[in-house]
Amino acid sequence: MLSYAIRRLAVAVVLAFGVATVCFALVWFAPGDERSDLLLSGRGAVVDTGPEPGLVEAYGDWVGSLLRGDLGTSERSGNVARWLLARLPHTLALSVSGLVLAVVFGVGVGVLQAARAGTVLDRLLTLGTVVAYSAPAFWVGILLGGAFIHKPMELGMEPLFPLTGVAPPGGATSLLDYIPYLVLPALTLGIVLGAGIARYTRAAMLEALAQDYVRSARARGLSEMRVLFRHGLRTALLPLISLLGVYLPVLLTGAVFVETVFSRTGIGLAMMEAILGQDLQVLMGGALMFGFAAVVGNLIADLLYGWADPRIGDAVRG
Amino acid sequence: MTAAPPVLEITGLRVSYSDRRRGAHGRFTAVDGVDLTLARGEAVGLVGESGSGKSTLARAVVGVVPVEAGEVRAGGEDLGLLRERDPRAAARRVQMVFQDAQGALDPRQRVGSALGEVLRLHDGSVGSEGADAVAALLARVGLEESHARRFPHQLSGGQRQRVGIARALAVEPDVLILDEPVSALDVSVQAQILTLLDGLRRDLDLSVLLIAHDLAVVRNVCHRVAVMYRGRLVETAPTDALFAAPTDPYTRALLDAVPRL
Amino acid sequence: MQSVARHQRGGVGLSVFLPGAPQILAGRVAEGLLALMPWLSAILLLVLRADLVSSQLGEGSTVGRASMALLAAAGLAWAWSLRDVSTPPEAGAGQGAWVRIVRDPWAGIGLAILLFFAGLSLLGPPLLLPEDPGRTQTTEEGFLPPSMDHPMGTDNAKSDVFERFLDGARVTLGIGLLAGLGGALIGVTLGAWAGFTGGWVDRVVMRCVDFFIALPKLVLLIALAALYDLGPVTLALFIAFVQWPALARIVRAEAVALAQREFVHALRAFGVSERRILFRHVLPNAQGVILVGTALAVANALLIEAGLSFLGLGLDSASWGRLIKDGGALFPHWWVGGFAGMSLVLVVVALNLVADAVRDVFDPRADVTV
């Protein structure tokens, strides 16, 4: 297990390095010469002395400052790392609550479908999950916003949830102030991501329940609930952990769209504002943060899977 | 005048697999130093229990599994080297009919197309000439022209085995190796296939290596019988002599298992 | 197996007036809709725009060619339906994989949806829009609700939403298809090659796949689209580039399994070249996963194109994503973004339905996640 963990960690470091390199290449090869200068302005020092730095030198500088946690400074936003870190909690709150909702929805619906396989309810839910699975996060967000905020407003009622932002003006004084702003965005992510998890859970549950030992457990007179959760869900959930690693980029990307739809001032919205304001440092800083988040998430999923299923460590070694 | 080299000459052949159960670098030796020679027109039976290495021997000869040590020569030429240089020429020296007749055929390919593919590759016959050649091949193994339009899963076990033989014959090989060609078939169908095989051998002056786990199968169609046990040949003798006076205890045990008819 | 009576429900008479209707009644939804849709569209065209068609038919203009295509499709549908109804089904005929996919009711609905949007985006602009294509039809007022003049209303810039919707269909579906197929091509080729060849090729390709799968590709695409001016082809290329790893992974797994099958060994023993084995034997046997993966890749590519346009980062020209963005908060002007949003979901659902049916037919146990 330890050597497995170390190996995964090494892979994660290489991946993070790759993400950084891709980001650098994106900027370096972009058309327009002011962009390659922008890379260097982040060092804070005077740059326009001497000749233009070459690719290797610029890359070295950039990686160096990255390792110090320096994402540069921009005119609009000041210290980019600080600017983004201040917004990170909002994105994290959205992602984590979205993921939790997705797992709850997904596993719940999947188990329900597997328990009622073949019934009308199962078919309706199958159709529902296909539709939710097919819908882009921004459209689901718009629909939810329309239904709970804008339609009531059109009818002259109070909207059910606050219009935009992450907290009441003047800042949140308690968690209760914060939550109403989180409900619809997190629900959006939960629906989009949960649909995929539900489809997976249903299939995995049905397969697990068809195993011989489960059937013999049924024959021994174990209660249906016990069979469902003890035998079905346990077997089905293990691979779900590794699937979460696959869903992570979806979650992060979804966050960008959801923040845009609901004007949540997280990192995703910061990136979109940066694009409008030609604020390259913030754009690249945001892309890097999402990239690193994906790498870390993958690492966590891998480690969790290795911890939950000791065979994995052996299989990798063997 | 020197005698023509044997059509197939196997010397000191060794094949092994990596085997995890024997440790990290453990290997299982499936074929361990086998010598076997086939003369033109000769039929040799290779007999042994399952797991004795018969199939592995055959697969090594046609290049499906790598040879670890030893040599396989066909018509005096090293078959492995020939295969590297000219795979099609090597295929014309020795050809094999696989044990799993259905698995050996591409499930999405019609019989005619499977035969045509091999024909086209080896003598370039295409179009109506190719279709005629396919029909001739099918007739040769006792199938009808209409079978060319079937998929493998639409054939019976015996028919599939005939298709396998027809495909092997398409390259007009010197040696035909048959890996348990009848073990999955009904007894009556077994007899038909063995009769077909014997006729083909006579008509085409083919050398045949017939692999079976059952001595009864090889008795009527083979000149000689080689008995294999745990990767080694324990006895090779003319069929009659072997049945009359087996020298190896394992051969005796095998013979005792043959039902007296 | 369908009985003759079931096959002929409605019979020849119905088929003359509504080709495809008997097939739909007999449960063959996809085939029926495929015939019925061009027929009804042609009739609608003749009724609504008789003047346009009669003046342009036979001319080399776009309108003339599009009308010809639609009328020809309607004629074909009519002939097929009649022939299909009057010939009894072959007793005991084996149902091939394709027939089973087309006759699966859900896949049938999916295929019909796809055909509808394909026809709409190809034939819609010349036949349904004002004669001068590319011109934005400005109106007196913005945010007009749907009406006979403006079937999908007008937007804030006083443009006709239906016109933007049709243009957007071309862009979104076109780029989605191009990028999805492109990604599938790369992924299938690399995956099959890696899985079939094994060894270092396999290791190198799969390392790349692992790397790309772990990246939040869309975020990088956002940065890319913000920094570079992308044309439709480059945009499709980049979207394709984020699609291939998922396909490579599933195709590789299939190729690894197929490479160990006995028939591959047999082909080798016959001296059949590795390339021929790969392209003529391994790939055709992997067609199930390839098809599923391709359908899902196209669906993904559509969503990515729409997503980028929604963020204002796609092409400058119209796209459904752009329309959804301009639709804003859905209320009170629901028609601006609503049609595009619903259509986008509908097309992706259709692709998923088809993919599910293909998966069930080719391998009921395979689980593919793209």
Side-chain angles (χ1 to χ4, degrees):
Chain A
M1 181 61 207
L2 189 65
S3 77
Y4 171 73
I6 290 171
R7 196 180 312 199
R8 295 312 308 173
L9 196 66
V11 170
V13 169
V14 173
L15 263 174
F17 196 70
V19 170
T21 307
V22 170
C23 284
F24 176 83
L26 272 182
V27 178
W28 185 260
F29 294 109
D33 45 18
E34 77 279 5
R35 284 165 178 164
S36 48
D37 291 348
L38 266 171
L39 268 181
L40 306 163
S41 69
R43 289 185 299 169
V46 185
V47 263
D48 45 5
T49 53
E52 280 245 319
L55 173 67
V56 179
E57 196 188 337
Y59 181 61
D61 278 352
W62 193 71
V63 172
S65 57
L66 204 59
L67 286 177
R68 290 192 303 272
D70 179 7
L71 292 175
T73 50
S74 85
E75 280 177 31
R76 235 176 102 259
S77 328
N79 183 320
V80 172
R82 200 172 300 151
W83 167 258
L84 286 175
L85 277 178
R87 292 171 154 229
L88 183 62
H90 303 312
T91 302
L92 270 182
L94 171 61
S95 307
V96 171
S97 52
L99 185 64
V100 170
L101 281 181
V103 172
V104 171
F105 285 166
V107 172
V109 171
V111 169
L112 181 65
Q113 282 187 276
R116 298 269 177 278
T119 61
V120 178
L121 178 71
D122 177 32
R123 291 209 193 120
L124 281 178
L125 285 174
T126 299
L127 188 63
T129 50
V130 171
V131 173
Y133 180 74
S134 305
F138 59 88
W139 181 242
V140 174
I142 288 175
L143 287 180
L144 287 177
F148 293 107
I149 300 175
H150 298 284
K151 189 66 186 176
M153 281 169 73
E154 189 192 358
L155 299 174
M157 296 188 293
E158 278 289 298
L160 278 83
F161 297 98
L163 207 53
T164 56
V166 292
T173 48
S174 74
L175 201 60
L176 279 178
D177 288 345
Y178 194 74
I179 284 176
Y181 291 85
L182 195 58
V183 174
L184 289 184
L187 202 59
T188 306
L189 280 185
I191 289 173
V192 172
L193 213 60
I197 296 180
R199 277 162 65 91
Y200 165 78
T201 307
R202 177 182 182 272
M205 283 286 288
L206 285 180
E207 191 165 325
L209 292 177
Q211 302 288 326
D212 283 340
Y213 71 91
V214 176
R215 277 194 251 160
S216 74
R218 272 210 178 111
R220 283 203 313 271
L222 248 68
S223 80
E224 193 60 21
M225 273 296 162
R226 227 178 133 83
V227 169
L228 217 54
F229 286 95
R230 199 58 177 283
H231 297 288
L233 198 55
R234 256 200 194 172
T235 334
L237 277 192
L238 196 58
L240 186 65
I241 299 175
S242 68
L243 212 59
L244 289 182
V246 176
Y247 283 144
L248 201 81
V250 185
L251 185 72
L252 296 175
T253 310
V256 177
F257 285 102
V258 171
E259 285 177 0
T260 308
V261 170
F262 292 101
S263 303
R264 280 181 64 84
T265 47
I267 294 182
L269 190 65
M271 281 178 71
M272 300 319 298
E273 290 168 354
I275 291 170
L276 290 177
Q278 295 283 308
D279 193 347
L280 189 77
Q281 302 288 341
V282 171
L283 175 62
M284 292 329 289
L288 267 175
M289 279 194 146
F290 276 114
F292 290 157
V295 171
V296 171
N298 255 305
L299 178 68
I300 294 174
D302 276 352
L303 292 181
L304 270 180
Y305 194 51
W307 168 74
D309 186 357
R311 282 170 309 173
I312 282 296
D314 294 338
V316 172
R317 263 197 305 281
Chain B
M1 199 184 101
T2 55
V7 286
L8 185 67
E9 189 178 16
I10 302 167
T11 34
L13 186 72
R14 197 163 75 170
V15 182
S16 64
Y17 297 111
S18 66
D19 184 356
R20 288 276 151 66
R21 282 169 304 179
R22 289 158 197 257
H25 300 285
R27 294 188 77 79
F28 168 69
T29 306
V31 178
D32 195 1
V34 167
D35 303 315
L36 190 66
T37 306
L38 242 78
R40 178 164 290 281
E42 189 185 25
V44 174
L46 182 61
V47 183
E49 63 189 14
S50 52
S52 60
K54 312 173 306 262
S55 287
T56 306
L57 172 72
R59 297 168 84 83
V61 169
V62 295
V64 171
V65 297
V67 170
E68 188 177 288
E71 207 179 29
V72 179
R73 303 180 79 83
E77 207 172 346
D78 187 302
L79 198 59
L81 294 177
L82 179 63
R83 186 171 295 117
E84 272 171 36
R85 205 174 65 238
D86 184 354
R88 279 184 276 170
R92 281 193 290 271
R93 294 289 168 85
V94 184
Q95 203 39 259
M96 173 157 161
V97 176
F98 286 79
Q99 178 174 8
D100 175 7
Q102 175 151 21
L105 291 165
D106 182 342
R108 309 200 83 82
Q109 198 176 27
R110 288 175 205 274
V111 167
S113 153
L115 296 178
E117 180 176 20
V118 173
L119 280 170
R120 199 162 50 244
L121 193 67
H122 283 272
D123 65 2
S125 54
V126 289
S128 64
E129 191 193 333
D132 290 345
V134 168
L137 269 177
L138 287 172
R140 167 132 263 167
V141 297
L143 292 173
E144 284 160 31
E145 211 173 328
S146 64
H147 286 115
R149 288 189 296 277
R150 303 265 185 92
F151 283 102
H153 67 87
Q154 295 169 327
L155 299 174
S156 72
Q159 288 170 332
R160 276 197 290 270
Q161 203 53 269
R162 285 170 194 264
V163 171
I165 295 172
R167 185 164 64 155
L169 292 179
V171 307
E172 296 174 10
D174 299 330
V175 180
L176 188 60
I177 302 178
L178 297 106
D179 189 3
E180 306 254 12
V182 296
S183 58
L185 304 177
D186 291 344
V187 177
S188 60
V189 186
Q190 283 191 7
Q192 290 170 16
I193 297 279
L194 291 175
T195 312
L196 168 74
L197 210 58
D198 202 39
L200 287 172
R201 184 187 58 77
R202 286 169 207 276
D203 295 349
L204 304 172
D205 201 18
L206 206 61
S207 307
V208 171
L209 182 63
L210 178 61
I211 297 175
H213 59 259
D214 181 357
L215 271 170
V217 168
V218 302
R219 181 165 199 173
N220 296 319
V221 289
C222 291
H223 302 117
R224 284 192 297 143
V225 176
V227 179
M228 200 164 176
Y229 180 64
R230 293 196 172 174
R232 295 169 190 274
L233 284 193
V234 291
E235 184 169 4
T236 309
T239 309
D240 293 341
L242 185 110
F243 274 83
T247 56
D248 188 83
Y250 177 66
T251 313
R252 275 198 293 276
L254 270 185
L255 271 177
D256 288 340
V258 176
R260 311 253 172 229
L261 292 174
Chain C
M1 205 49 53
Q2 286 151 355
S3 69
V4 175
R6 189 164 153 71
H7 185 80
Q8 290 194 328
R9 186 173 297 177
V12 178
L14 185 56
S15 185
V16 170
F17 295 104
L18 286 175
Q23 285 85 0
I24 295 178
L25 290 178
R28 291 154 57 199
V29 180
E31 293 157 274
L33 283 176
L34 294 186
L36 193 55
M37 277 195 301
W39 177 257
L40 287 183
S41 328
I43 289 179
L44 267 177
L45 178 75
L46 289 175
V47 170
L48 291 178
R49 306 201 59 123
D51 49 328
L52 180 73
V53 174
S54 58
S55 67
Q56 297 285 330
L57 206 61
E59 306 280 321
S61 64
T62 330
V63 177
R65 276 198 299 262
S67 333
M68 289 285 282
L70 187 54
L71 292 178
L76 269 177
W78 190 75
W80 170 81
S81 176
L82 260 186
R83 190 168 167 273
D84 183 65
V85 169
S86 44
T87 45
E90 279 179 59
Q95 292 200 334
W98 295 107
V99 177
R100 275 191 287 157
I101 291 167
V102 170
R103 298 205 172 154
D104 176 277
W106 285 114
I109 291 171
L111 284 172
I113 293 174
L114 293 179
L115 180 87
F116 173 77
F117 280 103
L120 193 68
S121 56
L122 288 176
L123 301 176
L127 293 179
L128 299 173
L129 293 180
E131 285 71 23
D132 184 11
R135 179 176 66 99
T136 303
Q137 192 194 20
T138 43
T139 56
E140 324 71 57
E141 262 182 280
F143 290 135
L144 284 173
S147 63
M148 278 309 282
D149 284 344
H150 306 288
M152 293 186 181
T154 63
D155 65 8
N156 60 333
K158 302 179 183 175
S159 330
D160 180 44
V161 174
F162 185 54
E163 186 173 338
R164 293 189 61 193
F165 176 82
L166 288 182
D167 286 345
R170 279 192 155 179
V171 171
T172 300
L173 300 182
I175 290 186
L177 196 65
L178 199 65
L181 293 183
L185 189 70
I186 306 173
V188 168
T189 314
L190 280 177
W193 183 46
F196 182 64
T197 315
W200 66 269
V201 173
D202 189 26
R203 280 197 293 276
V204 169
V205 172
M206 290 326 284
R207 280 295 157 281
C208 291
V209 166
D210 288 342
F211 177 69
F212 275 103
I213 282 186
L215 288 183
K217 293 162 286 276
L218 200 51
V219 175
L220 293 177
L221 256 187
I222 288 171
L224 182 101
L227 290 173
Y228 297 73
D229 287 326
L230 300 179
V233 178
T234 26
L235 180 63
L237 210 68
F238 277 111
I239 297 178
F241 198 68
V242 303
Q243 296 292 323
W244 74 266
L247 255 143
R249 183 176 270 181
I250 56 171
V251 173
R252 178 214 174 241
E254 190 78 0
V256 166
L258 284 168
Q260 290 157 2
R261 292 270 291 270
E262 192 78 326
F263 73 84
V264 171
H265 295 145
L267 289 164
R268 252 187 219 130
F270 280 106
V272 179
S273 69
E274 293 295 298
R275 211 176 61 182
R276 191 181 166 85
I277 296 177
L278 177 56
F279 284 103
R280 290 300 182 80
H281 298 280
V282 171
L283 281 182
N285 274 288
Q287 60 175 302
V289 289
I290 291 176
L291 265 166
V292 173
T294 305
L296 297 183
V298 171
N300 246 339
L302 284 173
L303 291 177
I304 292 178
E305 193 284 327
L308 287 177
S309 303
F310 173 77
L311 295 175
L313 295 171
L315 301 172
D316 289 333
S317 59
S319 152
W320 281 352
R322 189 59 166 268
L323 213 47
I324 295 171
K325 173 189 164 72
D326 290 350
L330 204 59
F331 292 104
H333 313 298
W334 57 268
W335 54 87
V336 179
F339 292 105
M342 286 307 171
S343 302
L344 182 64
V345 175
L346 214 55
V347 171
V348 178
V349 166
L351 283 165
N352 273 306
L353 289 177
V354 174
D356 283 352
V358 174
R359 178 166 27 208
D360 287 347
V361 165
F362 278 96
D363 182 0
R365 285 177 49 87
D367 180 47
V368 185
T369 319
V370 169

